[in-house]
Structures are given as C-alpha cells and as structure tokens.
Amino acid sequence: MHTQRMAVSVSVLALLTLAACGTEPGSGSRSGDGGDTVQSDVPVTGVAWSVDSMTVGGKKTEAPDGSRLEFDPKGRAKAGFGCNHISADARVEGDRITLAKPVSTQMACDEKTETFEKAALAAMDGELTAKLSGEKLTLTTEGGDSFALSEEKPADLAGTRWAVTTLLSGETATSVPADLPKDRVPHLTFGEDGTVHGNSGCNSFHGKAEVKGSTITFGPPAGTKKLCPEAEMETERAVLAALDGPATYTIKGSTLTVTSKDGKGVGATATPTTTEGTQTTEGIQEHG
C-alpha cells in the first residue's frame, strides 16, 4: 500500500489512493475502461466538493444551494450548507476519515437550511467511510447515513463577484466579521479589461489588476474616503494590504485565494452579482 496512508495528519490524498486500491486492485493510476471505475488520479485535497444531498435514516434530502465541503492538506475539513461556516479536525487512515471537534458560526438560518445543517454537523463528528468514483465522492457514517458530493468546477476569475470571507496573514486565517453591514461586506469583481472594483470593508474602490498566469498585479486603488467603525476599518486595511502589487491567486471551485508576496491575503467565495445591489451603481451609491 502507498506510504501516503501513514501521513494521516496532513494528507487527505491518501484517502483517494487507498479507496482506489480497495475497489480496483492493481489498477495504479489508470482510470480504466468501466463506467464505474474509480479514478485514482483524481485528488481529494485541492478539490472543492459540491454537496449534492444527504441521506439520513434512508431519507434523501437535497442540499441547500451552494453547499460545499473541502479537505485541506493541514488536516481540516471546511463546509458550508447554505448559511453557517463549519469546520472540523480531519484525520485520514485508509478509506476512513475521522472528523472531530466540529465548530460552527451561529447565524440565524431558515428552517429547512437549519435542519440540514444540524444533520450535517452531527455527521461531521465521527468516522466516515469514503468512496471515490470519477468525480463523485460518497461519505458514509458508521450509522449508514451518507453525503453525496460532486467535484466542483472552478468559477471564472473575471466577471464573478467574489465576497471576501477570510483574511490571511502568513499561516493565520481570520474570518471576516459576520456582523458587518451588508453594504460593507468586502467583495471584488475583476474585469476582462484588467481592472478590479468592489468594496474593501468600508469604502468602494477600483483599480488596475493585470492577470498573467497565476499572478495578479494590482495598481494603486482609487475610491471613496469615508470613515467607518474600527472593525470595518480594520477589515478594510487587511483587504487592501492583500491587493497591493503582485499577488498569486488560486481558484478551487467557488473559492478564490489571493496572496501577496508578504503573505497578506484574502479568501473569497463566488456570489450572485445581484446580491447587495448592482455592481454598475455601487460606486454612485457609495459616493452619494
């Protein structure tokens, strides 16, 4: 068996390799010819998984729109089921994932979403058996309940409204305050013409953003000059620090990460452009 199995603390990629070995002995990294063949060359880490449904007690429930689950290489599982942000420790051994210490934000949700979240949160505190087949992943609890997931295709950088959810500083990640006014939640939209505009947490801004390969070079931003409460100004300073000069970016499913050369960065999620007003009038609203 591959040595990746022993790297349980950091490598969820072992899940893929061992799951493939269990279902298709001796296949190596070939995808094979059968329709049900497990593809051992499709990684689990570095992939954003869209949660399609959850089956509890034999009853299947479609997941709320935008439901996602991701395993990072540092032993954490991160999920969202339409309302709150959830994370848990993730330990991988063979085709088993042991999730522990799940934590969740405490935002109010509609009844349907809240019911799904509670069931999902309960499943994220125990052992799951993983089965990967092509771009489909099934996670089954010890009690027989299960998640059905699909590999999420990456969103386009340009033309997508990116809502900033995380502020990065080296190895430290901090969530954007959940109680920011709706019109001051930081967000970015990149244009095909090499520009970027949005809101940095207090003020609206626009500027140059030249994209070459995996690098975005930001020019000095211009924007409004309002003063806001300190929590909003602190968020704004962190966002603008990440959008200064050259930065690398990655897109995994609907998640964008931008990191500048000094380690400052932001994590953002693709959101509908109609949220919080239209983008074409945003600057006028801020100046007014």
Side-chain angles (χ1 to χ4, degrees):
M1 199 60 66
H2 297 298
T3 57
Q4 287 171 308
R5 178 167 57 179
M6 303 305 295
V8 296
S9 62
V10 296
S11 179
V12 183
L13 182 58
L15 162 63
L16 169 64
T17 304
L18 294 167
C21 289
T23 55
E24 192 183 358
S27 66
S29 62
R30 286 189 306 109
S31 61
D33 299 324
D36 296 328
T37 299
V38 173
Q39 295 181 335
S40 60
D41 58 346
V42 180
V44 174
T45 51
V47 176
W49 297 101
S50 175
V51 181
D52 301 324
S53 64
M54 186 175 183
T55 300
V56 178
K59 181 181 179 181
K60 180 180 176 181
T61 303
E62 297 298 317
D65 291 342
S67 294
R68 302 176 69 254
L69 175 62
E70 185 173 353
F71 299 100
D72 69 25
K74 298 180 181 180
R76 294 292 291 175
K78 300 175 183 179
F81 302 102
C83 185
N84 286 288
H85 299 290
I86 300 169
S87 64
D89 292 338
R91 178 184 174 89
V92 181
E93 189 169 18
D95 62 349
R96 303 287 195 272
I97 302 176
T98 302
L99 299 177
K101 301 178 182 178
V103 294
S104 174
T105 56
Q106 300 297 319
M107 294 185 290
C109 314
D110 63 84
E111 184 177 353
K112 183 177 179 181
T113 300
E114 184 176 348
T115 299
F116 191 96
E117 278 193 351
K118 285 182 177 179
L121 193 60
M124 291 181 68
D125 190 11
E127 188 175 86
L128 302 172
T129 300
K131 181 179 179 181
L132 184 66
S133 180
E135 296 179 348
K136 299 291 185 179
L137 177 66
T138 302
L139 301 176
T140 305
T141 69
E142 293 179 285
D145 299 333
S146 63
F147 291 103
L149 308 98
S150 301
E151 182 179 349
E152 189 176 287
K153 301 304 181 184
D156 293 328
L157 176 67
T160 299
R161 183 186 188 280
W162 298 101
V164 177
T165 58
T166 308
L167 305 175
L168 308 173
S169 180
E171 296 296 317
T172 302
T174 305
S175 296
V176 170
D179 57 353
L180 289 180
K182 282 189 174 183
D183 62 343
R184 292 173 189 168
V185 174
H187 56 86
L188 318 168
T189 300
F190 295 89
E192 297 284 0
D193 58 352
T195 62
V196 62
H197 71 272
N199 189 291
S200 50
C202 174
N203 290 281
S204 61
F205 73 94
H206 63 274
K208 296 291 184 181
E210 183 180 1
V211 180
K212 287 186 177 180
S214 60
T215 300
I216 305 174
T217 302
F218 294 95
T224 55
K225 301 293 184 182
K226 296 185 299 183
L227 291 177
C228 299
E230 180 57 25
E232 296 160 35
M233 297 302 296
E234 185 176 351
T235 297
E236 177 163 281
R237 287 191 288 270
V239 170
L240 293 178
L243 311 182
D244 182 16
T248 58
Y249 81 94
T250 59
I251 298 176
K252 297 177 182 178
S254 59
T255 299
L256 167 70
T257 302
V258 178
T259 309
S260 66
K261 59 184 179 181
D262 62 358
K264 303 294 184 183
V266 295
T269 301
T271 58
T273 57
T274 54
T275 303
E276 301 167 19
T278 62
Q279 296 178 40
T280 54
T281 61
E282 182 180 36
I284 297 174
Q285 291 171 338
E286 292 288 351
H287 281 285

